[in-house]
Amino acid sequence: MEGDECSFPPDSSDDHSQRGSVASSATLSHSQEVLIYLFGDSAVHLSVEGLSSVTVQELGRLVREALHVPESAQDVFAFWLSSPLLELQLKARHQPYKVCRQWQDLLYRFTEASEEDISQDEPCLQYRRNVFYSKSKELQIEDEGVLRLLYDEAKSNIISGRYPCDPEHWASLGALSLALDEGTGLDRQKLTTTIREKKLSSFLPAHVAIGGGGLFSTLRGKSSRQAGLEQNLLEEYIKINVSGDSQRHSEILQQYLSTCHSLPYYGCAFFDGEIDKPVQGILQRLKRKAVSVCISLEGVYVMDVKEKHVLLGLRFNELSWDHSYPEEESDSHILWLEFDGNEDGTPVNKLLKIYSKQAELMSGFIEFCVELKSVSEGGAAAETDGDASLSQQASGKDDRGKNGRGGRRGMLRRQSSVVCSRVHSLHTINYVDNGKEIKCLKPKRAASFFTRQASAPIYSSVQVTESLEQG
């Protein structure tokens, strides 16, 4: 979901396109009906002149007028081209029609989708949160219409499981949604009836409301579990009713969004990837698991798609990064994340490999976020913090005689919360830090690092050579 920094392939409208027939620009010079999709199953209907050349900036003005979004909030939202296979945030200068014509080329370049899936995929144009809009600015928004748009998107991400959260969070958020839909004055009986009519899946994450089955469900029973979830919702709703005295909708919307802000991946750009699973035995072949890589102005988070929890969360001053291109056709694009760790009491550098055709996008996106954050923090102060030195590393202007990562960082916490890192469950390459940076581990250098060589390796390996070869 990160088209902002990608360079799109040239428009192939004059050549043979994989996308099939598209209306000519002559036809599109007349007024055309356009649907701009919103979260919450709604859309904005626009009549646009010269659709083939209209820019995101021009569409933005029309959508803000239709939705009564104040000019002061114009940076809150952005236009996205989205499909089940790829999500791209567009720049103000982009022309959505032309990007749509290149959609299949983008899918071939940035996804592992089959030819059949690519041929059937169609993007929709969405108006949704700008990934570069900071949480601190969002907290200052008071316009109820803008808050409602942000709420609809946040709720969709909570319900779908894109934003994993702990029980205390999803119960609180579910109760706030219930209060927005039904008001804050319902008695217990009416509330129970409403929950059962609308179903728990309207307020709670799907994997929570439906359940995972298995032994746990067999022992407790589905009805017992449902009753427990309903009780949690009731208790949280009563807290809102008691403390709110018929709170205004805008206050509840702000409370919902404020709770979402505690989730580190709120407002992130999401990328698809895979990582190696830890090897359980000597003879076991290395397998991979699907992950989402979430990047924002604050840091990088790697989430387990199946288990709905964070595997690794790092702020920009806690990591170094790079990406490598495949040397052979069977190889993968790789995003490398390096961070501090501990192996049997020894401080080490840990290196995580993320396999993804979107690795180039992710690397560029991280660099852009680091630079944007440095600029926002301003002047000399930004140059002295970890983010600025990381940005200098990425641009190749770092001082090779110094450790550009700004010294050793604090250890990552390991907790049961879904938002906390599970470094112990990652398959990483570990090595001793000798002042070198991750930029030294590009493919050519990596070849001598991962394989047996007569000469001494650049890094002193913590793991045995065989396990490094498997990495």
Side-chain angles (χ1 to χ4, degrees):
M1 87 86 272
E2 48 319 306
D4 198 90
E5 288 307 301
C6 74
S7 58
F8 296 131
D11 185 8
S12 57
S13 56
D14 296 331
D15 303 320
H16 177 70
S17 174
Q18 296 171 319
R19 192 165 179 75
S21 62
V22 181
S24 68
S25 58
T27 303
L28 295 175
S29 63
H30 301 294
S31 178
Q32 297 287 318
E33 295 296 317
V34 179
L35 284 178
I36 312 294
Y37 289 90
L38 310 172
F39 283 91
D41 299 324
S42 60
V44 178
H45 296 251
L46 297 177
S47 182
V48 179
E49 296 282 349
L51 180 60
S52 64
S53 59
V54 70
T55 64
V56 163
Q57 185 174 12
E58 294 165 336
L59 277 179
R61 178 179 55 81
L62 297 175
V63 171
R64 288 195 299 273
E65 290 176 357
L67 296 174
H68 306 292
V69 174
E71 288 299 311
S72 60
Q74 63 177 323
D75 294 333
V76 178
F77 302 102
F79 284 90
W80 295 65
L81 279 177
S82 302
S83 81
L85 299 182
L86 186 64
E87 297 179 349
L88 298 174
Q89 178 173 316
L90 304 180
K91 293 181 178 179
R93 62 176 171 78
H94 281 144
Q95 298 171 334
Y97 171 77
K98 291 185 177 180
V99 180
C100 278
R101 296 190 68 176
Q102 303 173 61
W103 191 249
Q104 287 193 0
D105 297 322
L106 294 170
L107 295 181
Y108 278 110
R109 180 177 174 183
F110 295 123
T111 76
E112 301 284 356
S114 66
E115 186 171 348
E116 180 181 0
D117 288 340
I118 289 176
S119 66
Q120 296 177 357
D121 191 68
E122 290 286 345
C124 66
L125 189 59
Q126 287 186 309
Y127 189 66
R128 51 194 268 199
R129 192 184 189 281
N130 179 3
V131 73
F132 300 115
Y133 196 76
S134 68
K135 293 180 183 179
S136 59
K137 289 183 179 179
E138 185 176 303
L139 288 172
Q140 301 171 17
I141 296 174
E142 296 182 353
D143 184 89
E144 186 170 328
V146 175
L147 292 172
R148 172 62 73 166
L149 290 172
L150 291 169
Y151 160 79
D152 286 338
E153 181 173 348
K155 180 184 176 182
S156 174
N157 287 327
I158 291 291
I159 296 298
S160 67
R162 172 171 267 196
Y163 290 169
C165 51
D166 294 315
E168 60 270 23
H169 281 137
W170 52 248
S172 173
L173 293 172
L176 290 169
S177 291
L178 185 57
L180 283 168
D181 292 348
E182 305 297 331
T184 57
L186 297 182
D187 58 36
R188 184 176 291 268
Q189 183 176 355
K190 176 63 176 175
L191 198 56
T192 301
T193 302
T194 301
I195 293 173
R196 290 176 180 174
E197 287 177 352
K198 290 197 169 185
K199 297 184 179 180
L200 285 168
S201 56
S202 300
F203 307 106
L204 302 179
H207 64 282
V208 173
I210 298 173
L215 180 61
F216 181 81
S217 294
T218 302
L219 294 175
R220 291 195 58 186
K222 182 178 179 180
S223 60
S224 164
R225 185 174 182 279
Q226 294 283 97
L229 294 174
E230 290 177 5
Q231 183 63 29
N232 289 340
L233 266 184
L234 286 169
E235 292 174 357
E236 291 296 326
Y237 176 88
I238 291 172
K239 292 178 185 177
I240 299 172
N241 194 26
V242 170
S243 62
D245 291 332
S246 187
Q247 296 184 57
R248 293 183 304 157
H249 271 200
S250 60
E251 294 173 348
I252 300 177
L253 291 168
Q254 288 173 327
Q255 191 174 345
Y256 191 100
L257 293 171
S258 179
T259 303
C260 288
H261 285 188
S262 65
L263 305 174
Y265 29 78
Y266 174 80
C268 279
F270 282 73
F271 302 80
D272 296 327
E274 291 182 325
I275 62 173
D276 292 319
K277 289 184 177 181
V279 178
Q280 302 298 324
I282 297 177
L283 299 179
Q284 182 181 357
R285 295 186 62 183
L286 207 60
K287 297 181 179 179
R288 296 180 184 176
K289 70 164 62 178
V291 296
S292 290
V293 183
C294 319
I295 306 173
S296 71
L297 294 175
E298 299 179 1
V300 180
Y301 301 87
V302 181
M303 291 200 297
D304 190 312
V305 171
K306 181 180 179 181
E307 300 298 331
K308 306 294 184 186
H309 59 221
V310 171
L311 295 170
L312 179 66
L314 298 168
R315 293 186 177 274
F316 292 127
N317 63 343
E318 297 175 319
L319 65 86
S320 298
W321 85 97
D322 196 11
H323 87 277
S324 58
Y325 295 95
E327 290 189 336
E328 299 179 3
E329 188 174 348
S330 59
D331 294 340
S332 301
H333 293 260
I334 296 175
L335 177 73
W336 305 83
L337 296 181
E338 183 217 31
F339 55 98
D340 289 349
N342 187 287
E343 191 74 18
D344 296 329
T346 302
V348 299
N349 283 7
K350 287 182 173 286
L351 190 62
L352 179 66
K353 296 169 64 176
I354 301 175
Y355 306 90
S356 174
K357 291 185 77 172
Q358 299 174 8
E360 180 183 1
L361 289 175
M362 288 187 267
S363 179
F365 195 85
I366 292 173
E367 184 168 0
F368 185 78
C369 286
V370 168
E371 292 177 353
L372 193 63
K373 185 176 177 64
S374 297
V375 170
S376 67
E377 290 174 349
E383 295 178 2
T384 59
D385 65 17
D387 290 347
S389 39
L390 189 56
S391 178
Q392 290 171 354
Q393 293 170 23
S395 61
K397 299 178 182 179
D398 54 317
D399 185 349
R400 298 295 179 182
K402 298 180 180 180
N403 185 346
R405 295 186 302 126
R408 188 155 300 281
R409 304 172 290 272
M411 298 302 297
L412 296 170
R413 294 176 299 168
R414 298 178 182 176
Q415 300 179 19
S416 59
S417 170
V418 298
V419 303
C420 292
S421 296
R422 291 158 173 78
V423 182
H424 59 285
S425 67
L426 294 174
H427 177 84
T428 58
I429 300 166
N430 300 334
Y431 62 93
V432 175
D433 183 6
N434 68 347
K436 299 295 182 181
E437 299 152 4
I438 198 168
K439 291 292 183 182
C440 298
L441 294 179
K442 289 183 178 180
K444 291 182 180 179
R445 188 76 63 111
S448 63
F449 178 61
F450 294 122
T451 58
R452 292 191 182 94
Q453 297 244 335
S455 58
I458 298 174
Y459 299 101
S460 299
S461 173
V462 174
Q463 297 181 347
V464 295
T465 306
E466 285 76 16
S467 60
L468 286 177
E469 289 177 334
Q470 291 176 347

